[in-house]
Amino acid sequence: DHEAGVIGNVAVITAGTTKPSGAGDSPFDVDRVTLEQIRDAINRSGRVRSRITHPEATGEDAIDRIAVHFTNARIEGDRVLADFHAGKFAEHTPRGNVRAFLLGLAEDAPQDAGVSIVSSSYATVPSETPTGRVLRIEALDAIDWVGEPAANPAGMLSATTTGNFLMNDKQRALLIELGLSADGDASKFYDALGDEQKSR
């Protein structure tokens, strides 16, 4: 909605195994409990601020990166979705018209960018998931726009899933090579693999 400055149904985080983060953090897993904790953290706060990239990663002040905020989180399928609201001031930032940029990106190339959560109260705890670590979180500091979101592999508005198992194109190709049928349940197929195959 260009007039209101709203992008609805943005994928905040997707269940499955994350990619390594831009900061070099190892992959971890996101499960249903993680989704519920992130949904609740957004709704408990009422709104979570949003910036262009993670300014703390480069030691920069966030004042010229503010895009505004996310609200109204809910879980749909294997994702937390929320609505992004761009402030009118975001038309006149030191970085240009951030509002028009993000709204245009959502309209024309939503698969080419997405959001990444920031939290000072997160932990990864041992689990029986593929990486052996699952994310747990109490509160969110920000939901930032990035070019390579570690936990939203298909970008801001959609993700590719089979059953409840998140796959990128490389993982899908490998599972098909190992015998997964095109319409098979990837989660069950993966669970039935031997340790050596899973390590691939």
Side-chain angles (χ1 to χ4, degrees):
D1 184 335
H2 284 270
E3 184 174 351
V6 174
I7 304 172
N9 299 318
V10 177
V12 174
I13 195 164
T14 303
T17 299
T18 68
K19 297 185 291 186
S21 75
D25 295 328
S26 298
F28 52 80
D29 293 294
V30 171
D31 64 5
R32 179 73 185 192
V33 173
T34 315
L35 299 183
E36 292 170 354
Q37 289 179 335
I38 290 172
R39 175 202 61 198
D40 294 347
I42 294 169
N43 291 339
R44 192 166 48 243
S45 68
R47 52 184 274 175
V48 176
R49 66 179 173 156
S50 182
R51 294 100 42 102
I52 301 296
T53 73
H54 301 312
E56 50 278 315
T58 54
E60 296 179 61
D61 191 282
I63 188 64
D64 66 343
R65 294 178 180 265
I66 297 171
V68 196
H69 60 265
F70 279 86
T71 65
N72 186 31
R74 61 264 183 209
I75 296 173
E76 291 189 13
D78 61 355
R79 296 170 294 160
V80 174
L81 304 181
D83 301 328
F84 170 70
H85 300 260
K88 286 293 280 184
F89 75 87
E91 295 177 348
H92 309 284
T93 77
R95 294 179 180 270
N97 190 335
V98 170
R99 177 180 168 124
F101 169 72
L102 291 174
L103 290 167
L105 190 63
E107 194 167 65
D108 297 336
Q111 71 281 3
D112 292 338
V115 297
S116 176
I117 62 171
V118 178
S119 174
S120 55
S121 64
Y122 82 94
T124 54
V125 299
S127 68
E128 295 183 3
T129 58
T131 66
R133 304 186 312 145
V134 67
L135 179 66
R136 294 293 178 256
I137 201 159
E138 292 181 12
L140 291 178
D141 301 324
I143 302 170
D144 294 338
W145 293 93
V146 296
E148 293 288 337
N152 283 309
M156 69 177 79
L157 300 179
S158 63
T160 301
T161 61
T162 298
N164 64 352
F165 188 82
L166 175 70
M167 291 189 293
N168 61 35
D169 291 341
K170 185 176 179 182
Q171 290 167 326
R172 177 185 290 279
L174 177 58
L175 291 181
I176 289 173
E177 180 185 320
L178 292 172
L180 174 68
S181 63
D183 59 351
D185 185 322
S187 181
K188 289 181 181 177
F189 182 83
Y190 177 84
D191 288 343
L193 294 175
D195 291 341
E196 184 177 343
Q197 291 174 312
K198 286 181 179 178
S199 69
R200 293 176 60 187

